[in-house]
């Protein structure tokens, strides 16, 4: 190492869980090169923004930040931009931000070290943004933020092409990861003491379809993972309703490690809007799946994503979304106002729903969800649930964890319980969080 070699790094992460995991993988690569995490972004020799393009606001946050940094004196050895904005904007970012040293796409994170070397030694702006992911990442070196829960990537990319969405362009086409590699990583995580694994992909239930010779579809993979000795809980996210199969529903019923929570994103309740979104299901087909799933797994909790104010959405069509939420009663809803994205098919339609109407629709759905969640929490009072204890709550007094159905629970206890499964009796709630007390019998350590 020369005197000038960078010694510290900092990665600021925006966007979804895939980006959080990619940050951990990049951090692992940097630490292998003997770089250490800087205490804050200001003091880091290498500063990386791992970015998101899903909505305009996500991009604006990073653009604002990069713009500001250009005006101030450059204190970092290198500034890099990775993630979905790298794919959406590619080298045009260099024209806007001359102080940016490298741009690295979502399918190239394995090249991080080489790109840093090139930027350092050529003093030129470097960019790599390939469209398709090559299965070559060393997941085993990822630097895990948490000690109890870990993300494991099983498939990258998305082939669904919903008309509003940038992900198929920013993550490329679907590439499944070999089951042996997933199993090896899960075994390592279990031996390191991890108790919960969340299988990640933009559409996890397309898993294996691109590699028919593996003979391992998503539910097959789940059966194999459940068998690994010491496996605590398995979760997965996210799934496309079309690919939620009876086999998967039966796996949720039958596999002890697989949690009873399914993110089942509806997006809209009107058939005309669903068609315009290219979601490839009708409301009726969607409802049929929900009914099946609830028959097979009666205690399952469901989550959803909803977009309001999609081009041409009428009040009546919005009302259909409202009614769907009311009927299905999701445990959790992520509700967004439509944001037109460059490069997506929907950009050709005028963004014709005024912002105040979008916000008003959003608020109506939020109010409904609060009401439903409130009623659900009421019914939980007096029941005893299994909690995986994750950490201390922000108040420093309670421990915090989640039930199998993904409800947040806090209760009093000491640090030795972190990373264990406990039975907790619920006696109250505050906002989204259930409050309880330790019930005597220990079910699993
Ligand atoms: N693969 C996941 C979604 C990833 S993006 C899935 O299909 O469920 C997360 C959510 O962001 C989407 O479900 C959608 O509700 C929302 N979203 C995506 N593009 C959007 C846009 N252009 N405007 C507003 N919300 C959007
Ligand atoms: Fe986007 Fe649709 Fe793919 Fe989800 S399934 S990532 S919403 S294109
Ligand atoms: Fe954002 Fe990319 Fe995830 S656009 S939501 S970081 S896949």
């Amino acid at each position: 190492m020369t005197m000038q070699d960078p010694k510290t790094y900092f990665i600021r992460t925006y966007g979804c869980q895939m980006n959080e995991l990619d940050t951990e993988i990049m951090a692992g690569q940097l630490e292998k090169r003997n770089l250490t995490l800087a205490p804050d972004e200001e003091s880091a020799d290498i500063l990386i923004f791992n970015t998101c393009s899903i909505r305009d606001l996500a991009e604006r946050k990073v653009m604002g930040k990069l713009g500001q940094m250009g005006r101030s004196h450059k204190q970092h050895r290198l500034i890099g931009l990775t993630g979905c904005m790298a794919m959406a904007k590619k080298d045009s970012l260099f024209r806007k931000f001359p102080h940016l040293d490298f741009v690295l796409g979502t399918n190239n994170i394995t090249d991080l070290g080489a790109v840093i070397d090139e930027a350092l030694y050529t003093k030129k702006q470097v960019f790599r943004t390939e469209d398709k992911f090559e299965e070559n990442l060393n997941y085993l070196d990822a630097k895990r933020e948490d000690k109890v829960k870990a993300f494991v990537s099983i498939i990258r990319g998305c082939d669904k092409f919903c008309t509003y969405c940038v992900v198929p362009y920013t993550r490329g086409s679907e590439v499944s990861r070999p089951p042996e590699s997933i199993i090896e990583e899960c075994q390592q995580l279990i031996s390191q003491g991890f108790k919960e694994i969340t299988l990640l992909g933009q559409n996890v239930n397309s898993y294996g379809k691109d590699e028919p010779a593996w003979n391992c579809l998503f539910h097959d993979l789940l059966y194999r993972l459940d068998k690994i000795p010491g496996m605590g809980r398995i979760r997965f996210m996210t799934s496309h309703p079309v690919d939620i199969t009876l086999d998967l529903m039966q796996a949720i019923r039958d596999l002890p490690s697989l949690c009873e929570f399914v993110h089942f994103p509806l997006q809209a309740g009107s058939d005309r809007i669903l068609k315009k979104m290219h979601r490839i299901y009708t409301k009726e087909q969607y409802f049929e799946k929900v009914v099946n799933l609830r028959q097979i797994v009666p205690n399952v909790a469901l989550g959803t994503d909803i977009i309001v104010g999609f081009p041409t959405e009428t009040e009546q069509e919005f009302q259909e979304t409202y009614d769907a939420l009311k009927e299905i009663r999701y445990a959790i809803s992520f509700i967004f106002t439509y944001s037109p994205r460059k490069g997506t098919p929907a950009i050709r339609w005028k963004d014709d729903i005024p912002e105040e109407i979008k916000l008003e629709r959003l608020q109506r759905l939020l109010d409904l969800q609060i009401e439903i969640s409130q009623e659900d929490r009421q019914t939980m009072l007096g029941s005893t649930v299994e909690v995986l204890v994750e950490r201390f709550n922000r108040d420093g007094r309670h421990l915090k964890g989640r039930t199998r159905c993904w409800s947040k629970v806090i209760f009093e206890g000491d640090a030795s319980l972190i990373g264990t499964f406990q039975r907790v009796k619920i006696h109250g709630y505050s906002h989204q969080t259930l409050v309880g007390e330790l019930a005597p019998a220990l079910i699993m350590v």
Side-chain angles (χ1 to χ4, degrees):
M1 269 207 172
T2 68
M3 284 295 285
Q4 289 174 6
D5 275 338
K7 295 194 172 49
T8 62
Y9 71 94
F10 195 91
I11 309 178
R12 182 152 300 280
T13 312
Y14 300 83
C16 65
Q17 293 83 0
M18 337 264 152
N19 262 11
E20 286 175 36
L21 176 59
D22 285 351
T23 289
E24 294 184 347
I25 294 168
M26 289 193 287
Q29 290 182 31
L30 295 173
E31 303 227 337
K32 263 197 126 175
R33 294 167 63 97
N34 294 325
L35 281 132
T36 55
L37 181 65
D40 51 49
E41 63 184 68
E42 283 73 33
S43 63
D45 294 338
I46 299 181
L47 175 59
I48 297 175
F49 295 97
N50 193 13
T51 61
C52 171
S53 284
I54 203 80
R55 283 166 290 274
D56 189 46
L57 185 66
E59 286 196 344
R60 266 190 289 146
K61 279 189 212 157
V62 176
M63 304 285 260
K65 192 130 195 169
L66 273 170
Q68 260 172 14
M69 291 180 70
R71 264 172 263 128
S72 61
H73 176 67
K74 184 172 168 179
Q75 56 201 331
H76 306 282
R77 289 292 322 280
L78 289 181
I79 302 175
L81 187 147
T82 63
C84 288
M85 272 175 75
M87 303 294 282
K89 300 197 178 291
K90 306 211 165 163
D91 54 338
S92 76
L93 286 161
F94 290 142
R95 288 194 284 283
K96 211 168 159 92
F97 306 109
H99 53 294
L100 202 56
D101 298 289
F102 63 91
V103 169
L104 188 71
T106 50
N107 294 324
N108 293 82
I109 55 177
T110 192
D111 299 332
L112 180 63
V115 164
I116 287 176
D117 286 342
E118 197 178 325
L120 277 175
Y121 298 116
T122 64
K123 305 226 166 13
K124 290 206 175 100
Q125 293 177 310
V126 184
F127 94 99
R128 281 189 210 181
T129 50
E130 267 143 49
D131 288 335
K132 191 158 176 179
F133 177 68
E134 300 261 346
E135 190 55 69
N136 55 4
L137 270 179
N138 193 351
Y139 292 95
L140 300 185
D141 288 337
K143 185 190 177 206
R144 301 292 180 174
E145 279 304 313
D146 201 281
K147 296 272 171 280
V148 180
K149 301 188 299 180
F151 293 133
V152 169
S153 168
I154 65 163
I155 179 169
R156 290 184 166 251
C158 178
D159 288 344
K160 286 286 188 283
F161 292 94
C162 304
T163 55
Y164 49 80
C165 183
V166 291
V167 171
Y169 314 98
T170 63
R171 295 263 162 186
S173 48
E174 286 174 2
V175 181
S176 299
R177 176 176 170 196
E180 297 72 28
S181 162
I182 298 170
I183 291 168
E184 186 191 3
E185 186 180 1
C186 288
Q187 281 165 335
Q188 177 182 300
L189 290 166
I190 292 168
S191 71
Q192 290 168 344
F194 285 89
K195 293 289 160 45
E196 183 176 297
I197 284 171
T198 301
L199 305 173
L200 277 192
Q202 284 301 348
N203 183 11
V204 283
N205 37 24
S206 308
Y207 178 80
K209 287 186 188 169
D210 54 325
E211 294 284 357
W214 294 354
N215 211 0
C216 184
L217 293 176
F218 183 49
H219 64 274
D220 301 314
L221 177 71
L222 291 169
Y223 280 88
R224 290 173 72 173
L225 296 177
D226 178 72
K227 277 208 207 84
I228 301 178
M231 179 61 87
R233 285 177 176 176
I234 302 176
R235 297 185 186 281
F236 58 87
M237 70 188 315
T238 56
S239 28
H240 191 290
V242 156
D243 298 320
I244 294 184
T245 58
L246 280 178
D247 287 324
L248 174 60
M249 298 179 193
Q250 282 156 4
I252 302 172
R253 179 193 61 198
D254 295 341
L255 299 179
S257 62
L258 195 55
C259 290
E260 294 78 18
F261 177 86
V262 181
H263 191 64
F264 208 144
L266 173 66
Q267 308 297 357
S270 129
D271 282 341
R272 190 185 71 88
I273 296 292
L274 284 172
K275 191 154 183 226
K276 218 172 151 73
M277 288 177 162
H278 189 61
R279 286 296 287 180
I280 52 179
Y281 51 82
T282 61
K283 180 167 80 175
E284 196 185 325
Q285 289 163 337
Y286 179 96
F287 270 68
E288 210 178 288
K289 290 217 178 185
V290 170
V291 169
N292 279 340
L293 175 58
R294 284 186 164 153
Q295 258 162 14
I296 296 173
V297 192
N299 57 340
V300 72
L302 301 179
T304 195
D305 290 352
I306 300 287
I307 299 176
V308 295
F310 191 70
T312 73
E313 182 188 64
T314 63
E315 169 59 28
Q316 203 181 344
E317 286 164 336
F318 165 74
Q319 193 61 45
E320 285 187 69
T321 304
Y322 186 94
D323 293 343
L325 250 75
K326 202 163 176 167
E327 191 171 335
I328 292 175
R329 299 180 65 88
Y330 296 100
I332 183 158
S333 300
F334 298 95
I335 306 160
F336 309 104
T337 57
Y338 171 68
S339 169
R341 311 308 297 132
K342 234 165 117 183
T344 62
I347 197 86
R348 68 193 140 111
W349 298 309
K350 187 163 174 259
D351 180 22
D352 60 348
I353 310 299
E355 202 55 31
E356 61 274 18
I357 295 195
K358 285 184 187 168
L359 289 173
E360 183 242 341
R361 290 179 185 170
L362 175 102
Q363 193 57 51
R364 274 151 74 191
L365 292 185
L366 285 177
D367 291 345
L368 172 63
Q369 184 59 49
I370 289 172
E371 206 181 298
I372 292 170
S373 303
Q374 195 96 337
E375 286 166 10
D376 285 354
R377 278 189 287 274
Q378 276 289 345
T379 66
M380 298 284 296
L381 298 181
S383 64
T384 300
V385 292
E386 180 203 279
V387 175
L388 171 58
V389 188
E390 295 170 14
R391 62 174 77 91
F392 272 105
N393 191 37
R394 244 175 283 157
D395 63 12
R397 196 163 66 93
H398 292 91
L399 290 167
K400 194 180 113 184
R402 287 195 187 255
T403 66
R404 289 176 65 92
C405 293
W406 218 50
S407 296
K408 225 185 278 170
V409 179
I410 60 169
F411 64 97
E412 281 184 36
D414 61 66
S416 68
L417 299 182
I418 293 174
T420 67
F421 292 93
Q422 298 295 332
R423 278 159 51 82
V424 176
K425 187 164 184 206
I426 304 302
H427 57 63
Y429 58 86
S430 124
H431 302 289
Q432 308 284 7
T433 307
L434 295 166
V435 186
E437 64 204 49
L438 215 48
L442 196 75
I443 54 171
M444 200 158 86
V445 182

